[in-house]
Amino acid sequence: NVVYDESQLQHNLSAAANVSPLHPVVISQFIDNAQEIDIDAVSHNGELLVHAVSEHVENAGVHSGDATLVLPPFSLPEKDLDRLKEIAQKVGKAFNISGPFNMQIIRKPPVGGEDAELKVIECNLRASRSFPFVSKVLGTNFIDVASAAIMGVDVPKPVDLMKEKRDYVAIKVPQFSWTRLPGADPFL
């Protein structure tokens, strides 16, 4: 159920307790009209080596594996790209990461003269499904960089691939194996 005020919350919690008083209720807060952003990165001993910022076409709430990603981002201002890199640097340093990691960030558009609100909603210490995509688009094999970082052998110097201007835009669209699933409904 989605609730918009305290009375609806009270009603739904009471109804849930009547159905099953022994099972807890999970409450999640959603940010309306928010955008989701992916950051794929590699660090070595907490130092950011490479990172990629991909923008979701859909609003926040669509799982990243099912989302359409655009790289380089088409609507993020340079200031937000700098802030997103800073977030990646801080996460890499805080966890002393040596290897790949992936984050999902929620971006709430700015109000008035304020900065856009950026919130990390997920961080995975692994290569994501978008690592091959960002590697191809940015011309740097993130898995090679991650392997070097993990092993501590021939670790490359940090480079800001997002600062390089490109004359193209790449789009990752989810691919579903409907033909391998007899009877599956291909319409989501």
Side-chain angles (χ1 to χ4, degrees):
N1 295 315
V2 177
V3 299
Y4 295 95
D5 60 41
E6 197 166 325
S7 66
Q8 287 179 318
L9 178 62
Q10 184 63 40
H11 171 76
N12 286 325
L13 288 175
S14 297
N18 289 336
V19 171
S20 179
L22 300 177
H23 293 88
V25 173
V26 175
I27 299 175
S28 296
Q29 181 180 14
F30 291 91
I31 300 172
D32 289 333
N33 301 316
Q35 177 182 32
E36 192 167 341
I37 299 164
D38 270 32
I39 298 179
D40 291 298
V42 178
S43 286
H44 180 253
N45 294 330
E47 181 181 20
L48 187 66
L49 300 177
V50 292
H51 77 290
V53 177
S54 301
E55 181 175 354
H56 287 221
V57 171
E58 302 89 355
N59 278 348
V62 175
H63 187 272
S64 59
D66 302 340
T68 303
L69 298 180
V70 179
L71 178 65
F74 61 93
S75 72
L76 297 178
E78 196 68 34
K79 183 175 186 178
D80 284 352
L81 289 173
D82 291 340
R83 291 172 60 212
L84 291 161
K85 178 183 179 183
E86 183 181 342
I87 289 169
Q89 288 172 320
K90 287 180 177 181
V91 168
K93 187 170 290 306
F95 293 106
N96 196 31
I97 297 172
S98 283
F101 63 105
N102 168 268
M103 294 186 295
Q104 280 73 51
I105 312 274
I106 294 291
R107 180 183 182 270
K108 179 106 174 151
V111 178
E114 298 177 13
D115 288 337
E117 186 178 347
L118 300 174
K119 291 186 177 192
V120 177
I121 60 169
E122 187 175 333
C123 181
N124 300 291
L125 297 176
R126 59 166 170 75
S128 70
R129 289 177 275 187
S130 50
F131 260 59
F133 171 68
V134 302
S135 295
K136 291 173 189 172
V137 174
L138 299 180
T140 298
N141 189 326
F142 276 46
I143 296 301
D144 283 349
V145 176
S147 298
I150 290 168
M151 300 301 294
V153 176
D154 297 327
V155 178
K157 298 279 185 224
V159 60
D160 191 343
L161 300 170
M162 296 303 299
K163 289 291 186 189
E164 297 175 18
K165 297 299 176 202
R166 293 177 168 74
D167 61 355
Y168 58 86
V169 173
I171 300 172
K172 180 190 87 60
V173 180
Q175 297 295 311
F176 298 103
S177 303
W178 298 120
T179 58
R180 295 177 153 194
L181 303 170
D185 182 358
F187 297 101
L188 297 177

